[in-house]
Amino acid sequence: MLKGGPGSGKGTQCANVVKHFSYTHLSAGDLLRAEIKSGSEFGAMIQSMIAEGRIVPSEITVKLLCKAMEESGNDKFLIDGFPRNEENRIVFENVAKIEPAFVLFFDCPEEELERRIMNRNQGREDDNIETIKKRFKVYVESTLPIVSYYESKGKLRKINAAKPSEEVFEAVKVLFTSET
Ligand SMILES: Nc1ncnc2c1ncn2[C@@H]1O[C@H](COP(=O)(O)OP(=O)(O)O)[C@@H](O)[C@H]1O
Ligand SMILES: O=c1ccn([C@@H]2O[C@H](COP(=O)(O)OP(=O)(O)O)[C@@H](O)[C@H]2O)c(=O)[nH]1
Ligand SMILES: [Mg+2]
């Protein structure tokens, strides 16, 4: 699993990892955005929650993740940007019946995250300054407690994500080489 604030480079580093190691990358945010595009009955609700930086109900995200895991044919996954809160974590563990082998935490100061998101240019509706502030608040209040949870279980591996992408990947590569 990969955790870190919005813009910390989770998606970027997952793309690097899949080139070197035999994992399937599953981004919860990408799966939710695909669900909106597919015209699903939950699309409008998911869209409005993302636009507000809120966390989509666990049942929806977990169902999408489990479906993607099944369809991948793989048994090794990089779960990017999930779980976002305690309820996400518990529902996932109960439904998928798996726990992460280890959790990468991308540590980066908020000013740098804000800069990166404002320059991301992926046309995302939630990459505007008002929604970014809301996402940071949700991150601190709901997601950081999960980071502490995995730390208490001895599963957290902290990465300094404030460095250039190539240097961050060097640290990520060392971890994947020793953990897998
Ligand atoms: N180490 C880095 N230094 C500078 N910019 C980066 C770095 N890693 C990623 N970026 C850029 O920052 C933005 C956010 O990265 P992304 O991988 O989408 O983060 P996340 O998935 O954690 O939100 C993207 O435009 C990406 O190209
Ligand atoms: O498990 C998840 C992952 C994402 N989101 C929603 O999708 C948005 C974008 O998530 P993503 O991981 O794509 O953002 P990133 O951290 O990459 O900027 C979040 O702000 C949430 O509104 C969610 O509700 N549950
Ligand atoms: Mg991302």
PDB file of all heavy atoms in Angstrom, residues 5-12 25 27 29-30 33 80-81 84 120 122 124 135, ligand 3:
ATOM      1  N   GLY A   5       0.274  12.434   1.308  1.00  0.00           N
ATOM      2  CA  GLY A   5      -0.679  13.494   0.996  1.00  0.00           C
ATOM      3  C   GLY A   5      -0.966  13.570  -0.493  1.00  0.00           C
ATOM      4  O   GLY A   5      -0.245  12.994  -1.312  1.00  0.00           O
ATOM      5  N   PRO A   6      -2.040  14.298  -0.853  1.00  0.00           N
ATOM      6  CA  PRO A   6      -2.331  14.505  -2.266  1.00  0.00           C
ATOM      7  C   PRO A   6      -1.167  15.226  -2.936  1.00  0.00           C
ATOM      8  O   PRO A   6      -0.684  16.234  -2.425  1.00  0.00           O
ATOM      9  CB  PRO A   6      -3.598  15.374  -2.256  1.00  0.00           C
ATOM     10  CG  PRO A   6      -3.800  15.849  -0.860  1.00  0.00           C
ATOM     11  CD  PRO A   6      -3.022  14.960   0.035  1.00  0.00           C
ATOM     12  N   GLY A   7      -0.662  14.670  -4.037  1.00  0.00           N
ATOM     13  CA  GLY A   7       0.456  15.287  -4.753  1.00  0.00           C
ATOM     14  C   GLY A   7       1.818  14.799  -4.291  1.00  0.00           C
ATOM     15  O   GLY A   7       2.851  15.264  -4.780  1.00  0.00           O
ATOM     16  N   SER A   8       1.855  13.809  -3.378  1.00  0.00           N
ATOM     17  CA  SER A   8       3.152  13.378  -2.839  1.00  0.00           C
ATOM     18  C   SER A   8       3.930  12.491  -3.806  1.00  0.00           C
ATOM     19  O   SER A   8       5.098  12.174  -3.562  1.00  0.00           O
ATOM     20  CB  SER A   8       2.959  12.678  -1.488  1.00  0.00           C
ATOM     21  OG  SER A   8       2.086  11.581  -1.621  1.00  0.00           O
ATOM     22  N   GLY A   9       3.277  12.043  -4.900  1.00  0.00           N
ATOM     23  CA  GLY A   9       3.981  11.252  -5.912  1.00  0.00           C
ATOM     24  C   GLY A   9       3.642   9.774  -5.887  1.00  0.00           C
ATOM     25  O   GLY A   9       4.357   8.951  -6.479  1.00  0.00           O
ATOM     26  N   LYS A  10       2.529   9.416  -5.269  1.00  0.00           N
ATOM     27  CA  LYS A  10       2.153   7.995  -5.192  1.00  0.00           C
ATOM     28  C   LYS A  10       1.961   7.409  -6.589  1.00  0.00           C
ATOM     29  O   LYS A  10       2.516   6.355  -6.915  1.00  0.00           O
ATOM     30  CB  LYS A  10       0.840   7.832  -4.387  1.00  0.00           C
ATOM     31  CG  LYS A  10       0.912   8.385  -2.977  1.00  0.00           C
ATOM     32  CD  LYS A  10      -0.412   8.212  -2.225  1.00  0.00           C
ATOM     33  CE  LYS A  10      -1.563   9.014  -2.783  1.00  0.00           C
ATOM     34  NZ  LYS A  10      -1.451  10.468  -2.655  1.00  0.00           N
ATOM     35  N   GLY A  11       1.161   8.099  -7.413  1.00  0.00           N
ATOM     36  CA  GLY A  11       0.891   7.608  -8.772  1.00  0.00           C
ATOM     37  C   GLY A  11       2.167   7.521  -9.599  1.00  0.00           C
ATOM     38  O   GLY A  11       2.412   6.529 -10.295  1.00  0.00           O
ATOM     39  N   THR A  12       3.004   8.561  -9.494  1.00  0.00           N
ATOM     40  CA  THR A  12       4.263   8.619 -10.243  1.00  0.00           C
ATOM     41  C   THR A  12       5.160   7.434  -9.885  1.00  0.00           C
ATOM     42  O   THR A  12       5.726   6.771 -10.769  1.00  0.00           O
ATOM     43  CB  THR A  12       4.987   9.941  -9.901  1.00  0.00           C
ATOM     44  OG1 THR A  12       4.113  11.025 -10.216  1.00  0.00           O
ATOM     45  CG2 THR A  12       6.295  10.078 -10.645  1.00  0.00           C
ATOM     46  N   HIS A  25      -0.751  -2.120 -10.468  1.00  0.00           N
ATOM     47  CA  HIS A  25      -1.041  -0.846  -9.809  1.00  0.00           C
ATOM     48  C   HIS A  25      -2.544  -0.613  -9.753  1.00  0.00           C
ATOM     49  O   HIS A  25      -3.200  -0.601 -10.786  1.00  0.00           O
ATOM     50  CB  HIS A  25      -0.354   0.281 -10.604  1.00  0.00           C
ATOM     51  CG  HIS A  25      -0.675   1.658 -10.121  1.00  0.00           C
ATOM     52  ND1 HIS A  25      -0.566   2.769 -10.925  1.00  0.00           N
ATOM     53  CD2 HIS A  25      -1.103   2.122  -8.915  1.00  0.00           C
ATOM     54  CE1 HIS A  25      -0.907   3.845 -10.232  1.00  0.00           C
ATOM     55  NE2 HIS A  25      -1.232   3.482  -9.019  1.00  0.00           N
ATOM     56  N   SER A  27      -5.022   2.269  -8.362  1.00  0.00           N
ATOM     57  CA  SER A  27      -5.247   3.563  -7.726  1.00  0.00           C
ATOM     58  C   SER A  27      -6.733   3.690  -7.412  1.00  0.00           C
ATOM     59  O   SER A  27      -7.566   3.642  -8.328  1.00  0.00           O
ATOM     60  CB  SER A  27      -4.800   4.691  -8.658  1.00  0.00           C
ATOM     61  OG  SER A  27      -5.480   5.893  -8.318  1.00  0.00           O
ATOM     62  N   GLY A  29      -8.352   6.269  -6.454  1.00  0.00           N
ATOM     63  CA  GLY A  29      -8.878   7.479  -7.092  1.00  0.00           C
ATOM     64  C   GLY A  29      -9.149   7.248  -8.575  1.00  0.00           C
ATOM     65  O   GLY A  29     -10.194   7.648  -9.097  1.00  0.00           O
ATOM     66  N   ASP A  30      -8.228   6.568  -9.268  1.00  0.00           N
ATOM     67  CA  ASP A  30      -8.436   6.282 -10.705  1.00  0.00           C
ATOM     68  C   ASP A  30      -9.666   5.386 -10.895  1.00  0.00           C
ATOM     69  O   ASP A  30     -10.439   5.577 -11.839  1.00  0.00           O
ATOM     70  CB  ASP A  30      -7.209   5.575 -11.310  1.00  0.00           C
ATOM     71  CG  ASP A  30      -6.021   6.521 -11.492  1.00  0.00           C
ATOM     72  OD1 ASP A  30      -6.195   7.749 -11.314  1.00  0.00           O
ATOM     73  OD2 ASP A  30      -4.908   6.026 -11.785  1.00  0.00           O
ATOM     74  N   ARG A  33     -12.713   7.506 -10.501  1.00  0.00           N
ATOM     75  CA  ARG A  33     -12.917   8.385 -11.667  1.00  0.00           C
ATOM     76  C   ARG A  33     -13.429   7.581 -12.872  1.00  0.00           C
ATOM     77  O   ARG A  33     -14.277   8.050 -13.636  1.00  0.00           O
ATOM     78  CB  ARG A  33     -11.625   9.156 -11.999  1.00  0.00           C
ATOM     79  CG  ARG A  33     -11.355  10.311 -11.006  1.00  0.00           C
ATOM     80  CD  ARG A  33     -10.118  11.115 -11.365  1.00  0.00           C
ATOM     81  NE  ARG A  33      -8.872  10.425 -11.080  1.00  0.00           N
ATOM     82  CZ  ARG A  33      -8.234  10.454  -9.900  1.00  0.00           C
ATOM     83  NH1 ARG A  33      -8.709  11.171  -8.908  1.00  0.00           N
ATOM     84  NH2 ARG A  33      -7.107   9.787  -9.726  1.00  0.00           N
ATOM     85  N   ASP A  80      -2.794   2.154  -4.208  1.00  0.00           N
ATOM     86  CA  ASP A  80      -2.364   3.560  -4.180  1.00  0.00           C
ATOM     87  C   ASP A  80      -3.509   4.452  -3.690  1.00  0.00           C
ATOM     88  O   ASP A  80      -4.578   4.488  -4.289  1.00  0.00           O
ATOM     89  CB  ASP A  80      -1.928   3.894  -5.628  1.00  0.00           C
ATOM     90  CG  ASP A  80      -1.866   5.372  -5.964  1.00  0.00           C
ATOM     91  OD1 ASP A  80      -2.061   6.224  -5.094  1.00  0.00           O
ATOM     92  OD2 ASP A  80      -1.618   5.658  -7.162  1.00  0.00           O
ATOM     93  N   GLY A  81      -3.254   5.143  -2.570  1.00  0.00           N
ATOM     94  CA  GLY A  81      -4.238   6.120  -2.079  1.00  0.00           C
ATOM     95  C   GLY A  81      -5.426   5.512  -1.360  1.00  0.00           C
ATOM     96  O   GLY A  81      -6.491   6.110  -1.297  1.00  0.00           O
ATOM     97  N   ARG A  84      -8.226   5.441   3.064  1.00  0.00           N
ATOM     98  CA  ARG A  84      -8.208   6.879   3.342  1.00  0.00           C
ATOM     99  C   ARG A  84      -8.643   7.157   4.780  1.00  0.00           C
ATOM    100  O   ARG A  84      -8.396   8.234   5.291  1.00  0.00           O
ATOM    101  CB  ARG A  84      -9.189   7.533   2.389  1.00  0.00           C
ATOM    102  CG  ARG A  84      -8.707   8.760   1.658  1.00  0.00           C
ATOM    103  CD  ARG A  84      -7.790   8.507   0.527  1.00  0.00           C
ATOM    104  NE  ARG A  84      -7.518   9.752  -0.185  1.00  0.00           N
ATOM    105  CZ  ARG A  84      -6.825   9.847  -1.294  1.00  0.00           C
ATOM    106  NH1 ARG A  84      -6.322   8.769  -1.867  1.00  0.00           N
ATOM    107  NH2 ARG A  84      -6.595  11.009  -1.850  1.00  0.00           N
ATOM    108  N   ARG A 120      -0.270  20.002 -11.791  1.00  0.00           N
ATOM    109  CA  ARG A 120      -0.453  18.630 -12.266  1.00  0.00           C
ATOM    110  C   ARG A 120      -1.046  18.573 -13.676  1.00  0.00           C
ATOM    111  O   ARG A 120      -0.689  17.683 -14.461  1.00  0.00           O
ATOM    112  CB  ARG A 120      -1.305  17.827 -11.270  1.00  0.00           C
ATOM    113  CG  ARG A 120      -1.526  16.405 -11.695  1.00  0.00           C
ATOM    114  CD  ARG A 120      -1.675  15.431 -10.533  1.00  0.00           C
ATOM    115  NE  ARG A 120      -2.715  15.766  -9.561  1.00  0.00           N
ATOM    116  CZ  ARG A 120      -2.950  15.035  -8.464  1.00  0.00           C
ATOM    117  NH1 ARG A 120      -2.224  13.956  -8.219  1.00  0.00           N
ATOM    118  NH2 ARG A 120      -3.884  15.387  -7.608  1.00  0.00           N
ATOM    119  N   GLN A 122      -3.841  17.533 -15.044  1.00  0.00           N
ATOM    120  CA  GLN A 122      -4.541  16.345 -15.560  1.00  0.00           C
ATOM    121  C   GLN A 122      -6.021  16.650 -15.728  1.00  0.00           C
ATOM    122  O   GLN A 122      -6.838  15.740 -15.904  1.00  0.00           O
ATOM    123  CB  GLN A 122      -4.334  15.161 -14.602  1.00  0.00           C
ATOM    124  CG  GLN A 122      -2.929  14.590 -14.700  1.00  0.00           C
ATOM    125  CD  GLN A 122      -2.677  13.459 -13.706  1.00  0.00           C
ATOM    126  OE1 GLN A 122      -3.511  13.143 -12.862  1.00  0.00           O
ATOM    127  NE2 GLN A 122      -1.509  12.847 -13.811  1.00  0.00           N
ATOM    128  N   ARG A 124      -8.086  17.554 -13.515  1.00  0.00           N
ATOM    129  CA  ARG A 124      -8.921  17.035 -12.424  1.00  0.00           C
ATOM    130  C   ARG A 124      -9.704  18.160 -11.752  1.00  0.00           C
ATOM    131  O   ARG A 124      -9.160  19.193 -11.413  1.00  0.00           O
ATOM    132  CB  ARG A 124      -8.044  16.290 -11.412  1.00  0.00           C
ATOM    133  CG  ARG A 124      -7.787  14.867 -11.827  1.00  0.00           C
ATOM    134  CD  ARG A 124      -6.817  14.177 -10.914  1.00  0.00           C
ATOM    135  NE  ARG A 124      -7.193  14.271  -9.501  1.00  0.00           N
ATOM    136  CZ  ARG A 124      -6.554  13.612  -8.548  1.00  0.00           C
ATOM    137  NH1 ARG A 124      -5.531  12.824  -8.851  1.00  0.00           N
ATOM    138  NH2 ARG A 124      -6.916  13.752  -7.297  1.00  0.00           N
ATOM    139  N   ARG A 135      -8.926  18.769   0.937  1.00  0.00           N
ATOM    140  CA  ARG A 135      -8.278  17.453   0.890  1.00  0.00           C
ATOM    141  C   ARG A 135      -7.181  17.351   1.944  1.00  0.00           C
ATOM    142  O   ARG A 135      -6.998  16.301   2.564  1.00  0.00           O
ATOM    143  CB  ARG A 135      -7.713  17.195  -0.513  1.00  0.00           C
ATOM    144  CG  ARG A 135      -8.825  16.870  -1.522  1.00  0.00           C
ATOM    145  CD  ARG A 135      -8.421  17.170  -2.940  1.00  0.00           C
ATOM    146  NE  ARG A 135      -7.398  16.278  -3.446  1.00  0.00           N
ATOM    147  CZ  ARG A 135      -6.676  16.524  -4.543  1.00  0.00           C
ATOM    148  NH1 ARG A 135      -6.889  17.645  -5.235  1.00  0.00           N
ATOM    149  NH2 ARG A 135      -5.776  15.671  -4.938  1.00  0.00           N
TER     150      ARG A 135
HETATM  151 MG    MG B   3      -2.658   9.817  -7.325  1.00  0.00          MG
END
